Each structure stands twice: as C-alpha cells, then as structure tokens.
C-alpha cells in the first residue's frame, strides 16, 4: 500500500492501492468513526462501483443513503447542489456525519462543495475513479460548482479527511477519459519533474502506482506551501490559461485534458521552442491534441473576459526548460504573444 500524507490546515492520508475501494468502510472508520453517510456518485460509476462501496460501508457499520447524478460536467451546477443539500437534510445527516464522493472530478467537486457547505462543513472522503481525479482534483481541497456565467465560479477550499485511489478503477475508463488524466500527468512532469517525463515515454498503465504517487506528492508539496492559491500553487495551472479559453470557446465539447494538452503545447512553442517538438511528441503519444483551430485573437478575447483575472496583469506559467516551469507576471497586452502558436511550427 502506498500512502501520501498531506499536512496543510488539515492532515489527511491519500491511500493508493489496487482494490482499496472494497475496504473503504474499514479504512474510513479508523479516521472518521462510523455514522450516517451519503454516498454521492454518477450514473456510470454507480453501475460499476456503487455496490462495492455501499457494501463495504454497511459492513463497517455505516448507515448509507445514496445520491446519483447524471454523469458529466453539466451536473456540476447549483440545482444538483441544492438537491443534494435537501436530500442530506431529509435524511437527517448531522455535523458528525460524512459524505463519500465516488467518481471523477465532477462528482468530487460537487460532493466536496456539498460537504463543505452542509452545516458549515461535514466529513468528506474522496474516492476518485478517473485518472484525472486521482492525480489532481481529489487532492488539495478545491471544491466547486459551475454557474451559467462560467466554470468553477462558486466553491470553497475544503480538505477531505481521507482520499482512496483505487487503481483498478482506471482499468474501466474509456481511452479518451484515461488520456485526459495523462495530460495532467504530463503537466506535473513539465512543471518540475523531468524524470516523470522520461517515465511517460513508457506505459502509464504499467507504472500507474508510481505515477499516481508521484503526482499526488508533487501536488501535496505545492499545496502545503500555498494552500489558498496565492502564489506557488499557480504553477499547477501550466497550460491552463489557454486551455480554459479553448474549453469555453468550444462550449465545453473539448474536454479539460485535451484543452490542457493544447495549452501546454502552445505556451511551450511560444516560450521554449527548442523543447516544443519533444513535448508535442509526448502529448501525441497519448492521442492528445497539440493544435487548435481557434485563432489567437479568439482565445485572447476569452481569456481576458475570465472573471478571475485581476487588473491589468495576469500570472502565466511558462517553461524555462523541459521539466521545469516558473511563474511570470505579464500585462494583458502581452498575452497574444504567448498565445500566438496555435499550430505546430
Ligand atoms: N478540484 C480540483 O482541484 C480540480 C482539478 C482538476 C479538475 N477539476 C474538475 O474535474 C472535472 C473533470 O473531472 P473528470 O475528468 O474526472 O471528469 P468526470 O468526472 O466527468 O468523469 C469523466 C467520465 O468518466 C466516467 N467515469 C468515471 N470513473 C469511471 C471509471 N472508473 N470507469 C468508467 N467510467 C468512469 C464518468 O461517469 C464521466 O462520464 C471538471 O469539472 C474540472 O473542473 C477539479
Ligand atoms: Zn487541470
């Protein structure tokens, strides 16, 4: 069993192990004690793993109610959020009870924000089932829902009590969803881990335990330094400024992982052309795209309308070498320069 411990405002373990989902009841009981629980999941994940988790929780003594959302980003909204809160109230969950979030980043973000909000915060166990959720969204405590005006506009920093990464869940992922997680893994390699980039020349499936542990450890280190995203944590946004613009322009038909792949390639072509081809080859090995048909102008316009932007400058993550990135403050007039390489050179 691999274990990574996060020590920020709250200390918690991330357990990385094949089959740990079957032991969720017993593992959670040691950390939060038994009580009432709400298992939140989506319709696809419920069909695959709902029974395993529910059975394990019940046999450890948890009382379980279940709430299933339709799968996909469209469920990460205020309507589902309120329905969940009402369901928790109807089932008389109290402050000492717990939310179990079983699914990808959509379930993790929505269930996490529900746990953060209900009675100003109840216990939370994350059981990520996509590669992206294992290496990224289940760790670090960012929770959110989308508004019609934009993605992740409402949320909270709320750390879980326990994270269980059951690597067997990655085996049932559709190839495209698996690839989305690979984009985030490449991101970790590019920001600070050249060794990871070398590992990625091999197969992710064969090294999945090592890779998930390494990514989660990087995220842990960054989040421990800057839990509330004032500085260093922004490094985790490599490729994400153009990616968010691409996602938004496509009306979210281009997945986050794909958009991040394009964003990383674009910024690298603009700032570190000597490393661009190597990165493009790696991204393409995972059947991820490196180019977009949106124009620089379209992407800049969208990025500038981003409601999270502060004043006339933005902080961009730029590569200084293959396997290392730094934060760079640029003025909004300079963005076009960094977004200019929408296509391969
Ligand atoms: N909180 C954070 O720090 C953070 C970080 C990155 C991304 N996110 C958020 O995460 C979300 C994206 O997450 P995602 O890529 O996991 O998407 P997702 O949760 O929509 O999952 C993708 C698809 O895979 C299915 N699925 C999940 N697990 C499966 C399994 N084991 N086998 C088969 N199918 C499975 C789901 O039903 C869904 O259809 C976005 O909303 C993004 O904003 C949050
Ligand atoms: Zn991301």
């Amino acid at each position: 069993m691999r274990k990574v411990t996060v020590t920020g405002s709250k200390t918690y373990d991330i357990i990385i192990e094949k089959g740990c989902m079957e032991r969720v009841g017993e593992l959670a009981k040691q950390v939060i004690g038994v009580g009432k629980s709400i298992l939140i999941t989506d319709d696809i994940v419920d069909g695959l793993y709902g029974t395993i988790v529910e059975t394990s929780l019940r046999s450890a003594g948890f009382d379980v109610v279940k709430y299933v959302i339709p799968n996909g980003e469209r469920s990460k909204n205020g309507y589902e959020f309120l329905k969940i809160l009402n369901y928790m109230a109807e089932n008389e969950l109290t402050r000492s009870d717990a939310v179990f979030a079983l699914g990808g980043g959509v379930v993790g973000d929505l269930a996490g924000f529900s746990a953060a909000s209900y009675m100003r915060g109840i216990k939370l166990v994350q059981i990520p089932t996509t590669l992206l959720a294992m290496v990224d969204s289940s760790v670090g405590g960012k929770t959110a829902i989308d508004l019609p005006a934009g993605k992740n506009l409402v949320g909270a920093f709320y750390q879980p009590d326990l994270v269980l990464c059951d690597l067997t869940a990655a085996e049932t992922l559709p190839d495209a969803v698996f690839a989305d997680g690979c984009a985030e893994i490449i991101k970790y390699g590019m920001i600070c881990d050249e060794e990871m980039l070398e590992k990625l020349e091999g197969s992710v499936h064969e090294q999945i335990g090592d890779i998930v542990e390494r990514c989660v450890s990087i995220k842990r280190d960054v989040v421990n330094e800057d839990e509330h995203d004032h500085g260093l944590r922004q490094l985790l946004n490599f490729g994400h400024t153009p990616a968010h613009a691409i996602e938004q322009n496509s009306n979210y038909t281009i997945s986050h992982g794909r958009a991040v792949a394009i964003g990383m390639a674009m910024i690298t072509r603009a700032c570190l052309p000597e490393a661009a081809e190597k990165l493009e080859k790696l991204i393409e090995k995972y059947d991820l795209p490196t180019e977009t048909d949106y124009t620089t102008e379209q992407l800049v316009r969208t990025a500038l309308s981003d409601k999270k932007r502060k004043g006339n400058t933005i902080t961009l993550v730029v590569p200084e070498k293959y396997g290392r990135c730094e934060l760079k403050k640029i003025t909004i007039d300079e963005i076009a320069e960094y977004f200019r390489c929408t296509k391969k050179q």
Side-chain angles (χ1 to χ4, degrees), residues 172-183:
T172 54
L173 289 173
D175 291 344
V177 179
F178 189 85
D180 283 336
C182 294

Side-chain angles (χ1 to χ4, degrees), residues 132 136 184 187 236-237 240 244 256-257 260:
L132 181 141
D136 195 351
E184 298 284 3
K187 175 194 80 178
L236 299 171
N237 286 339
H240 281 57
H244 288 148
H256 179 68
V260 168

Side-chain angles (χ1 to χ4, degrees), residues 241-242 267 314-318 326-330 338-339:
T241 308
I267 300 282
I314 62 161
T315 304
L316 208 61
V317 186
V318 295
E326 60 185 357
L327 297 176
K328 192 167 182 186
K329 261 215 167 83
I330 61 165
Y338 292 87
F339 281 18

Side-chain angles (χ1 to χ4, degrees), residues 42 71 73 76 104-106 109 129-130 137 142 151 169 172-173:
D42 74 30
N71 74 90
E73 184 73 28
K76 218 176 97 173
V106 165
D109 278 10
T129 61
T130 62
S137 60
K142 278 193 184 176
K151 230 173 103 94
T172 54
L173 289 173

Side-chain angles (χ1 to χ4, degrees), residues 192-316:
C192 64
D193 193 352
E194 198 176 348
E195 220 174 279
M196 170 93 81
L197 294 170
E198 278 159 28
K199 265 196 177 81
L200 289 169
E201 299 291 344
S203 146
V204 170
H205 281 287
E206 280 167 18
Q207 313 168 80
I208 191 161
D210 282 348
I211 288 177
V212 171
E213 183 179 12
R214 182 69 194 130
C215 291
V216 158
S217 304
I218 295 173
K219 184 148 186 187
R220 183 259 326 260
D221 292 346
V222 172
V223 171
N224 278 357
E225 287 282 310
D226 176 26
E227 186 169 328
H228 295 110
D229 209 359
H230 298 305
L232 190 69
R233 190 167 179 166
Q234 293 173 32
L235 271 180
L236 299 171
N237 286 339
F238 176 50
H240 281 57
T241 308
H244 288 148
I246 292 167
E247 281 181 274
Q248 214 174 316
N249 271 285
S250 79
N251 214 358
Y252 301 99
T253 56
I254 297 177
S255 71
H256 179 68
R258 279 177 168 59
V260 168
I262 299 167
M264 292 190 293
M266 273 174 61
I267 300 282
T268 305
R269 285 194 287 263
C271 303
L272 193 68
E274 61 274 27
E277 201 183 331
K278 199 168 174 191
L279 176 64
E280 285 163 355
K281 282 215 172 93
L282 185 63
I283 292 173
E284 284 161 1
K285 174 175 181 291
Y286 290 95
D287 283 329
L288 292 161
T290 59
E291 300 185 314
T292 176
D293 289 334
Y294 296 115
T295 63
T296 299
E297 202 194 15
Q298 277 173 313
L299 298 178
V300 169
R301 204 180 314 125
T302 314
L304 290 182
S305 67
D306 189 329
K307 289 162 195 65
K308 287 184 215 155
R309 182 168 66 83
K310 276 188 244 145
N312 280 334
T313 58
I314 62 161
T315 304
L316 208 61

